[in-house]
Amino acid sequence: MSDLGDLYQQTVLDHNRKPRNFRRLANANRTAEGYNPICGDIISIDLRMEDGVVKDIGFEGGGCAISRACASMMTDAVKGLTKEEAERLFDDFHDAVTGESDQETDTDKLGKLAILSGVKEFPARVKCASLAWHTLRAAMENRQGTVTTE
Amino acid sequence: MPGPDGVSIPQIRDNALDAKEVERLREDFPVLKRRVHDKPLVYLDNAATSQKPQEVIDTITEYYSSYNSNVHRGLHALSERATEAYEGTRGIIRRFLNASEDREIIFVRGTTEGINLVANSYGRAFVGRGDEVIITEMEHHSNIVPWQILCEEKGAELKVVPINDDGELLLDEYEKLLSPRTKLVSITQLSNALGTVNPVKTIIEMAHSRGVPVLVDGAQAVPHGPVDVRKLDCDFYAFSGHKVFGPTGIGVLYGKADLLDSMPPYQGGGDMIRSVTFEKTAYNTLPYKYEAGTPNVAGAIGLGVALEYVSRIGPARIAAYERELLSYATEALSSLEGLRMIGTAREKVGVLSFVMKDVHAHDIGTILDYEGVAIRTGHHCAQPVMKHFGIHATARASLAFYNTREEIDILVKALDKVIEVFH
C-alpha cells in the first residue's frame, strides 16, 4: 500500500515552497499556457530556445503542491537539454506517472525526477503532475491555444 | 398534551438526537463501518451524496429478486405489485413534502432533470423575447445553465441576485430585480457550496405579490430538516433521492397542479400519452404527462423507503442535531491557524467550506483521504461562488445526521497534519 509520504516528500514540499526558475523570461522566444479549470492549476512557461537547445526556462502560476513542485523540478531538469532530449524525458516521465514503467526504470531514466513517480499511486493527481510537461511540450513546439490535462 | 376537546395532540418532536441515538442509527449504514487506507472511514461528503441505510439497499434487492416488473401496463401479479409499490411512493413523497395531491409529484432523474423540465416546459411556453428570469449568485450550475440555455434561445434576460461576503443573499437587490417582465424566480433553499439557508418563504412572497412563480431547488434542504411546500407556497420544488439516503437516478419535481396542467409536456413517449395516431396524439393527465418511458421503478421504491426512514427519525430532530454539530465543527475549524471559512451566513446548515493558507484544496483533500476522511475539493459546481471569493476551489466537509463529534475531532486532527506537512 502506498504511503502518503511517497507523494508529499520533503523534496516535493521544498520545491513547492521555493519553486526553482519561478519567473517570466524577458527574452523568451517561446511561451505557452496551461490550465486545468476543474482544479484551478494554472501555469505559464517561457522558453529561450537557441539552436534547438533549452537555453533558459521560467514558469509562473498557481495551483496545488504537486503541480508546482513538478513544474519546478521539470524546469531544473530540462535546462540545457536539446528539444529531442526534453521530449524523451517527457515520455519517460509520462510512463512513470501512468504506471507503465517500474521503479528501477524510473530512477534510471528520470534521476531526480523519479521522486514524482509516486504520483502514479494517486491517479486523481496525475493530471496535476502532467500539466507542466504538456505545457512545456506546447511551448517547444510553438503550439497555439491553452493546454489542459483534464 | 390534551387539546381543547380533551383529545391528545401528537407533538412533533424537535429535540436534537442524542449521541446514543446517533450511534444506534449509524449501525443501519453498512458503508460507515468500512475502513479506507486502513483507517476508519469518516464520511463528510454528504452534500455530494449520502450513504444508504440497509433497508433501502434491501428494498431494491427485494424488488429485483421477487417482483421486478414494468409498471402500469401489465395485468399480472408482478406488475400489480410493482405498480402498487411505485405509485404508493408518490403518496409517501406527497406526505413528506406536505403537498396537496399525489398527482403533483413527478418522478424525474434528480434535481437537475427537475429544473430542466421546468426550463423546457414552463420556460418554452411562458418565457419570451425581452422577458426575465431571476436566479442568484450562489446557485449550483444545474440551476444556472438550464436558464442560460432558455434565455439564449428565447432572447430573454437572466438576472442574478448578488451575495455579500458572508454568502448571504442581498434581498434589496432581489427586490430591485423583480420587474413586470420577470417570468420566473429559481432559487436554492440551501447552498451546497456555502451552507447558506435562504429566506425562501419571503422570496416567494415577494415574487407572488408580482404574480411571478418560484422554483425552489431543494436538493440540499431535504436531507437536513422538514420541508413543507404548502407553507412555502412554492410553485415548483425539486430534489434528488441520492442526497436523502435514497438511490441515485431518482428525484422529484413537485409542481402545483394548475401550473403543471397549463404547461406543455417535457419528454414525449410512452405513458405520457392517452392515445397516439399519426394525425393527433392526446397527452395523459398528471402526473403521467411528465413521465415518459419506463421509470426508475427500483429507484422510486427505494426513495420511498428512504423518506420513511427519515420521517421515523424526525426531520426536525435531525435539523436540531445538525445545528449543534455544525456549531461544534465551526468552532473547531475556526481555531485552526491559517484556515478561513468560506460561507459565514447567520443562517447555515452543515456545510463547511474552507481554504487554508498556502495549501491548495486538492492537497488538503489528498492528505485527509489518507487519514480516512472523505471531503470534497473543487468548485462544487458553483464557479460563480468561487469567483465571488476570488478563489478556484474550496475544501468542503458536509454533515449528515449520522456524523458525530468524534468524527469532527478526527477531521481536525487530519487538518493539523495538513498544516504540519506544509509548514
Side-chain angles (χ1 to χ4, degrees), chain A residues 10-24 42-44 57-77 79 132, chain B residues 358 422:
Chain A
Q10 264 315 115
T11 316
V12 170
L13 295 171
D14 178 49
H15 274 266
N16 176 54
R17 224 174 284 130
K18 292 191 229 101
R20 322 299 195 246
N21 305 301
F22 191 64
R23 69 214 189 295
R24 301 226 70 149
I42 188 163
I43 188 168
S44 58
I57 179 170
F59 85 98
E60 264 198 352
C64 66
I66 303 306
S67 72
R68 214 139 101 129
C70 197
S72 169
M73 293 169 103
M74 177 195 78
T75 58
D76 258 359
K79 223 189 275 189
Chain B
D358 297 334
F422 277 86

Side-chain angles (χ1 to χ4, degrees), chain B residues 64-286:
Chain B
Y64 282 120
S65 331
S66 67
Y67 63 100
N68 169 60
S69 185
N70 207 329
V71 295
H72 301 146
R73 298 193 204 91
L75 292 174
H76 57 85
L78 257 52
S79 177
E80 291 263 343
R81 173 132 182 242
T83 303
E84 202 185 311
Y86 176 76
E87 288 298 331
T89 300
R90 239 184 268 275
I92 295 172
I93 298 167
R94 177 188 48 81
R95 280 190 297 278
F96 192 85
L97 296 177
N98 195 32
S100 342
E101 306 176 59
D102 283 7
R103 68 190 181 117
E104 293 177 319
I105 305 298
I106 297 167
F107 285 115
V108 285
R109 247 178 23 200
T111 311
T112 301
E113 183 164 62
I115 296 173
N116 275 276
L117 192 163
V118 176
N120 277 276
S121 177
Y122 174 87
R124 287 242 173 81
F126 297 109
V127 176
R129 176 163 287 280
D131 284 340
E132 292 163 8
V133 173
I134 296 178
I135 59 172
T136 80
E137 198 182 353
M138 71 168 81
E139 298 306 316
H140 184 285
H141 295 165
S142 291
N143 200 21
I144 298 176
V145 183
W147 309 114
Q148 289 177 317
I149 294 173
L150 175 71
C151 288
E152 180 163 336
E153 194 184 293
K154 292 292 195 157
E157 231 187 294
L158 193 59
K159 300 282 193 191
V160 182
V161 183
I163 56 174
N164 63 19
D165 290 341
D166 283 317
E168 292 166 326
L169 271 189
L170 295 170
L171 279 186
D172 340 338
E173 295 302 314
Y174 166 59
E175 177 136 43
K176 287 189 209 146
L177 290 177
L178 281 166
S179 88
R181 305 239 49 181
T182 312
K183 283 298 186 296
L184 182 79
V185 173
S186 192
I187 172 160
T188 184
Q189 190 164 8
L190 215 151
S191 161
N192 71 308
L194 300 165
T196 307
V197 178
N198 284 321
V200 177
K201 194 156 161 31
T202 306
I203 290 168
I204 292 171
E205 277 161 13
M206 289 165 74
H208 283 179
S209 70
R210 290 164 176 79
V212 178
V214 180
L215 162 68
V216 177
D217 171 355
Q220 297 294 334
V222 165
H224 300 301
V227 175
D228 189 329
V229 294
R230 272 190 286 179
K231 200 156 155 203
L232 290 177
D233 197 29
C234 52
D235 301 277
F236 301 104
Y237 193 94
F239 74 91
S240 302
H242 74 93
K243 293 212 208 280
V244 63
F245 321 103
T248 48
I250 189 80
V252 171
L253 175 72
Y254 156 81
K256 288 182 179 168
D258 289 346
L259 198 43
L260 290 174
D261 267 332
S262 71
M263 289 154 46
Y266 172 42
Q267 294 176 338
D271 284 340
M272 53 72 70
I273 46 87
R274 257 212 311 271
S275 62
V276 179
T277 66
F278 288 113
E279 285 72 46
K280 185 177 171 59
T281 285
Y283 301 129
N284 210 337
T285 52
L286 291 178

